[in-house]
Amino acid sequence: MLIDLAPAPARATRRAPYVVAAVAFAGYAGWSSERLRTFDASGFDLGIFEQAVRSYAHGHWPVSDLLGADWPTLGDHFHPILALLAPFYRLWPSPACLLVAQAFLFALSVVPVTRCASRVLGARRGAVVAAGYVLSWGLLSAVNFDFHEVCFAVPMVAFAAEHLLRERWRAAVWCALPLVLVKEDLPMTLAAVGVVLVLNRQRRLGWAVIGFGVATTVLLVTVVLPLLNPAGAYAHSGGFNPFGGSIVKVSMLLALVAPTAFTALRSPVLLLAVPTLLWRLVSANDRYWGMGYHYSAVLMPIVFLAAADGVRRCGPRFRTLLPACALVAGLGSLGLQAAHLSDGVWTPSQRAGIDAVLARIPDGADVLASNRLAPRLTSRCTVLFFDGVSAERPEWVAVARPEQSWPTTLATKAFAAEELESTGYLRVAETDSVVLLHRA
């Protein structure tokens, strides 16, 4: 494993990880806030998580009405760690609170990545690798798709991997232990930490961690989640398709290690990525196979810290090749993700009109809302999802123009809006971007 080969860094060098992290935080927070401002954020998933955090903030069991009326979110995924956001949400009851928290957690993971890269490659090359990490496609893709509980896991895994590389075995376990509160699949990442410990002759501690991680996963998936789910089953089993989408899967795996000039493959720390990759690659859900959404965020610190270890085992030329590959891949990722960051579907004047219409809905009202409109309302209303098939009939209905052809067709949603008007709802406000109905 990695040891401290370099002399104690100068004060300026010691500050570098925090400077890079601060820049990353500003970028992530600004990016997320812009998406929220332009209605690119959505009820699925930002609104869902805000409703859960809002429940915690008011001392209630976490529910999300966007998933279904009074639907318990702990029956969907096991993420009680979201309760940590409740005090901050009480002070700032806004979806932006969650986005800024996610930006902070992602930026926090930059610190161990920068430290390890700088100790192996020197301050300048280490900073370049850190910049590649900040711009890595897994993190930017997550920033570009709302908020998710996995943001808590990213710094946990990063610090755990750093401690493994520094041979601080117990510290690594303590950093990884809270993963059991983030999501039901992540205890297996904790078990992978145990595997690395065993490989480093820390057998007693390693086998204890492996046993705890595996047992926790089994307990959560087979007992806890079915018990909390209204359907009485684990909601995300989804079936298996290990041989489907081979090209997509291989492309994702190559994109994962190529930014490190494949040096990550030389480190046992990369084993921490195996559980996440395994459940994604064998799943029948094709959304898990590729590079989109938030599914790869937790893999990024593992890969880059494994590269900091693996580059020591490679030839001298890799000390230049790793920073170059990381930076080029990061800039490419930035370009691809920035293409999705635009002024949104609506012009500034249209957005102002939408906000004016939604302001007519009183605080505390029950609202059936389109996906893009939901985050504007979840902090002050009870918001249900307008999908065109729901039987819910709350007092208010806010329908976007144009609607999204997800999860039902545009025709289905148009028919549902017409039916509402024919069965007691009055059109009380409208623009070319939104229609507001009120139950008579």
Side-chain angles (χ1 to χ4, degrees):
M1 305 298 285
L2 179 66
I3 58 175
D4 291 330
L5 298 176
R11 179 179 299 178
T13 303
R14 291 197 300 269
R15 289 198 300 262
Y18 305 98
V19 172
V20 178
V23 172
F25 169 70
Y28 293 154
W31 190 305
S32 299
S33 299
E34 178 67 9
R35 292 189 71 255
L36 182 63
R37 184 186 71 84
T38 59
F39 288 86
D40 275 344
S42 56
F44 279 69
D45 292 318
L46 177 59
I48 291 171
F49 283 104
E50 184 185 6
Q51 288 179 330
V53 173
R54 186 184 179 197
S55 299
Y56 280 124
H58 290 88
H60 302 147
W61 184 257
V63 298
S64 174
D65 294 295
L66 285 165
L67 289 173
D70 292 323
W71 214 95
T73 58
L74 290 178
D76 183 44
H77 287 299
F78 189 75
H79 42 49
I81 200 165
L82 290 177
L84 293 179
L85 295 178
F88 303 100
Y89 188 82
R90 288 284 291 185
L91 296 173
W92 186 16
S94 165
C97 176
L98 277 66
L99 297 175
V100 170
Q102 176 172 263
F104 173 78
L105 291 165
F106 281 169
L108 185 60
S109 72
V110 175
V111 174
V113 172
T114 309
R115 278 198 299 236
C116 286
S118 297
R119 285 186 178 276
V120 175
L121 299 171
R124 292 183 180 178
R125 290 176 177 174
V128 173
V129 172
Y133 171 73
V134 170
L135 300 176
S136 60
W137 59 267
L139 292 182
L140 291 189
S141 182
V143 169
N144 216 20
F145 183 52
D146 294 350
F147 171 94
H148 298 88
E149 73 279 270
V150 74
C151 65
F152 284 95
V154 173
M156 292 178 192
V157 169
F159 281 101
E162 180 189 27
H163 286 308
L164 288 174
L165 294 176
R166 303 285 293 277
E167 298 186 354
R168 298 169 177 170
W169 312 122
R170 293 187 180 276
V173 174
W174 282 114
C175 286
L177 195 60
L179 290 171
V180 302
L181 302 176
V182 178
K183 194 164 169 277
E184 63 277 3
D185 64 288
L186 288 170
M188 291 303 297
T189 301
L190 173 63
V193 171
V195 172
V196 176
L197 293 175
V198 170
L199 292 176
N200 283 275
R201 300 180 180 179
Q202 305 297 309
R203 294 183 178 87
R204 180 176 297 181
L205 179 60
W207 282 113
V209 172
I210 292 171
F212 180 75
V214 172
T216 301
T217 298
V218 172
L219 180 65
L220 291 177
V221 172
T222 64
V223 179
V224 176
L225 284 164
L227 184 65
L228 297 176
N229 190 296
Y234 178 46
H236 299 280
S237 54
F240 295 92
N241 186 13
F243 304 109
S246 298
I247 295 177
V248 176
K249 293 175 181 177
V250 170
S251 298
M252 185 269 289
L253 293 173
L254 288 174
L256 194 62
V257 293
T260 70
F262 299 96
T263 57
L265 296 172
R266 298 293 302 274
S267 173
V269 168
L270 193 62
L271 291 172
L272 272 60
V274 171
T276 296
L277 288 172
L278 188 60
W279 71 256
R280 288 176 58 187
L281 296 178
V282 303
S283 173
N285 188 337
D286 58 4
R287 290 179 300 172
Y288 298 156
W289 303 343
M291 298 169 60
Y293 306 107
H294 58 288
Y295 301 115
S296 295
V298 74
L299 300 176
M300 294 297 112
I302 298 172
V303 170
F304 275 80
L305 284 159
D309 180 34
V311 74
R312 296 189 307 112
R313 309 167 193 267
C314 301
R317 68 181 183 278
F318 283 91
R319 293 178 174 268
T320 300
L321 188 58
L322 170 58
C325 285
L327 184 59
V328 170
L331 292 174
S333 169
L334 178 62
L336 290 174
Q337 294 297 329
H340 298 288
L341 186 64
S342 63
D343 286 336
V345 177
W346 298 297
T347 66
S349 61
Q350 288 175 318
R351 294 195 293 267
I354 294 172
D355 284 329
V357 169
L358 297 182
R360 299 188 59 172
I361 302 173
D363 293 351
D366 294 342
V367 187
L368 199 64
S370 296
N371 191 37
R372 291 193 186 98
L373 305 180
R376 284 293 204 273
L377 299 165
T378 42
S379 62
R380 63 184 186 88
C381 298
T382 298
V383 182
L384 300 99
F385 184 40
F386 175 73
D387 58 3
V389 297
S390 173
E392 300 292 339
R393 295 177 60 85
E395 185 178 2
W396 297 87
V397 179
V399 182
R401 291 175 168 173
E403 256 292 351
Q404 292 175 300
S405 57
W406 174 89
T408 54
T409 66
L410 296 176
T412 299
K413 293 183 178 182
F415 177 79
E418 292 175 2
E419 186 178 35
L420 287 169
E421 290 193 77
S422 67
T423 56
Y425 280 84
L426 301 178
R427 189 175 299 199
V428 295
E430 69 176 303
T431 70
D432 58 350
S433 306
V434 64
V435 175
L436 181 63
L437 306 177
H438 183 254
R439 192 177 61 214

